[in-house]
Amino acid sequence: FIYLFNSNITLGKNGVPVAENFRLEQSTVADTVQAGQVRVKTLYLSVDPYMRCRMNEDTGSDYLQPWRLSEVADGGGIGVVEESKHQNLAKGDFVTSFTWPWQTEAILDGDSLQKLVPQLVNGRLSYFLGAAGITGLTALLGVREKGHVAAGANQTMVVSGAAGACGSLAGQIGRLEGCSRVVGIAGTDEKCSILVQEMGFDAAINYKKGDVAKQLRELCPGGVDVYFDNVGGDISDTVISQMNQNSHIILCGQISQYNKDVPYPPPLPPDTEKIQKERNITRERFLVLNYMDKQEASVLQLCQWIQEGKLKVRETVVEGLANIGAAFQSMMNGGNIGKQIVLVSK
């Protein structure tokens, strides 16, 4: 089975993605594996906010290619090798790729795959798509490269989209790196409870209830020193208004703006931009792919924290390739806690 980007539904730059933007078809995989190739069975697939821009002909990015109408969609995936004609891969090996096709089986170029060591994540292979994968790297390197966190500096970090795949890790990493106070912003009481009780956040704000600005002032009496921004929009304007002199914004994502025809990163409203400039607040686009020279050491650090129980991992798992479109739609609407994973086969 293969999952196609659907040509029958027009989305446009301002549309909201729905499950019907995709369709499932049955197809056949070639019988013969060529030299350098492997036949794989897909185990897990990832759906992520950045995929929304791949639904436009102009992705707004030079490192992301658009999904083509009526062609197989792709993204982060994990599978097991069933047949190999690649010198470094053998039957039974677990492998991953950032461009894994959304299909139950595939023949792939072995050089495009990275071999996985399940023991690094206590056997939880799907973690390599999240906490020990590109999501964890984004959180860790974002904090280290753009957050300017220093142990003993008594810094307060705020994380928006805090119960999502990246935000839930970023807040924990902020604490591990030295922040003295971490406050999350999420969209349900359940998410806020999980952030505090499971993930060690000092407090969490349900932005759909009450006055966010007032709650922030109460929970961050010394102001905000580091802001891990996953959402943009009104929430970010509110946080920025309470940031300190020479503080730092880690510009990770802007999910509230992804269905709008605006440049990335979206410009700040004039009043917010004035605050940013007057207080010398850094706000630079963060792209984890620019730091791949630090990938290996960073993944090992993430795996160590996972093994030690210092990094708590949450996943929202949907079963079946046929449900990946619905999983993507749900994730874009905040239906996930932690990483959204699609279990294709066991």
Side-chain angles (χ1 to χ4, degrees), residues 327-338:
F328 178 61
Q329 179 181 345
S330 173
M331 178 272 306
M332 289 296 294
N333 292 325
N336 58 302
I337 296 176

Side-chain angles (χ1 to χ4, degrees), residues 36 54 62 69 73 92 120 130 148 170 188 203 253 255 259 263 266 274 300 304-305 337:
R54 299 192 67 190
D62 55 4
L69 297 178
L120 289 175
H148 301 273
T188 69
I255 195 169
N259 296 326
K274 182 180 179 184
L300 290 174
Q304 181 181 337
W305 281 336
I337 296 176

